[in-house]
Amino acid sequence: MTLILTRSVIRSLLAEAGALAEVEQAVARAHRDLALGRAVLPAPPAMRQPDGEGAYLAMAAASAPDGLATVKLLADLPANRERGLPVQRSAVLAADAETGACVALLDGAELTRIRTAAATAVATGALARADARTLGVLGTGPLARAHVQALLPGRAYEHVLVWGRTPDNAQSLAHWITAELGVPAKVFTDPRSVTEHADVLCTLTPSRDPLVHGDWLTPGQHINAVGAPPRADHRELDTAAVLRCRIVVDAYETALAKSGEVLIPLAEGALREDAFRTELGAVLTGRAPGRTTDEELTLFNSVGVGLQDLAVARLLIDRAGERGLGLTVDLAS
């Protein structure tokens, strides 16, 4: 039997008390499993549409501890913007790792948003200074809200600084942060001001061209580069910013396949592959150091990986089963 979890069911499961903390724990465990050889994560192949800008990515993973093999088909279709549709759409297929039976089919939107923010929270915990008090957010969409929700509980942040291309959206996000999460939030008119004043900076925009420049950075900052789509020509940080940082990636092979933050400096000859070989799982297991000094600039280059999808799919499948939620069908009938 196959469990089908719609977006509304997934949203309800993730809204439960303690769910976001469990997601963060699951994502951290998945990265440790990868570092310890208990999970498999190949680089995702990109299938380009021959007659347009669209692309499809098959994000696969397998985990022995979670007993699953999964693949998320991610559609990245810029033309959808003009249609009034989401640019990115996805669904996750989960199979039993032992029998190959199709265990579940899950809508990918909420799952992706929450696991992405959870990975950022895990990386920030491992890499940011212990005395970081100011969180900067570039971008105002659903991913920004998910990040603020994921990051604020982990540290005693005193302020959140917000910038967005649409001032009204930035004001709305800042008001929500202050009213709902209880942390003062302030809107800035440009990304430079947010960057210069943030201890922890999250870039959460689908930008093609850099929003953050190297000469804006100050010693001791931690940066999470998250928002750029999986395209080699898109990035939120310029080459100078990347070169100033010690880089940690979620997965080396995936970053090499689809991260503009590393591929563009690599093509320019400004960066060698060794500079971004350190994976988050290696830091979490102690195989690689986290932050080494208070003055060091650290960068988590988040491209999003299928193993994060698998970890959260396992959590959602188990929670839905316990609560009798979702639709069960027999695909073989």
Side-chain angles (χ1 to χ4, degrees), residues 38-58:
R38 298 194 291 244
V40 179
L41 181 65
M47 300 173 285
R48 303 290 179 187
Q49 288 184 335
D51 57 350
E53 288 188 296
Y56 291 87
L57 279 77

Side-chain angles (χ1 to χ4, degrees), residues 3-200:
L3 177 67
I4 298 177
L5 296 181
T6 64
R7 188 174 307 175
S8 60
V9 170
I10 291 172
R11 186 179 292 122
S12 69
L13 290 170
L14 292 174
E16 294 178 356
L20 296 184
E22 287 191 28
V23 169
E24 185 176 333
Q25 293 165 9
V27 168
R29 186 181 67 250
H31 281 281
R32 290 194 296 269
D33 287 340
L34 181 63
L36 296 172
R38 298 194 291 244
V40 179
L41 181 65
M47 300 173 285
R48 303 290 179 187
Q49 288 184 335
D51 57 350
E53 288 188 296
Y56 291 87
L57 279 77
M59 301 173 64
S63 168
D66 283 324
L68 289 179
T70 61
V71 60
K72 180 170 75 176
L73 184 62
L74 170 66
D76 182 32
L77 305 173
N80 269 1
R81 189 173 288 108
E82 297 180 2
R83 303 182 182 112
L85 299 172
V87 171
Q88 293 190 350
R89 287 173 154 174
S90 61
V92 178
L93 177 70
D96 184 284
E98 181 176 356
T99 68
C102 182
V103 173
L105 178 64
L106 304 89
D107 179 77
E110 288 293 312
L111 183 156
T112 301
R113 183 172 65 90
I114 296 301
R115 64 81 155 142
T116 302
T120 298
V122 171
T124 300
L127 297 170
R129 294 196 328 264
D131 63 348
R133 293 294 179 266
T134 302
L135 173 64
V137 177
L138 302 182
T140 60
L143 193 58
R145 293 203 175 205
H147 271 71
V148 174
Q149 284 182 305
L151 287 168
L152 286 184
R155 290 175 182 268
Y157 289 107
E158 298 172 353
H159 304 280
V160 180
L161 315 180
V162 177
W163 172 83
R165 296 186 190 277
T166 305
D168 286 349
N169 292 344
Q171 291 289 352
S172 177
L173 176 61
H175 176 77
W176 176 80
I177 292 169
T178 302
E180 298 296 327
L181 303 179
V183 179
K186 180 180 179 181
V187 173
F188 284 74
T189 58
D190 60 272
R192 178 171 187 163
S193 298
V194 174
T195 300
E196 290 179 337
H197 291 89
D199 298 323
V200 173

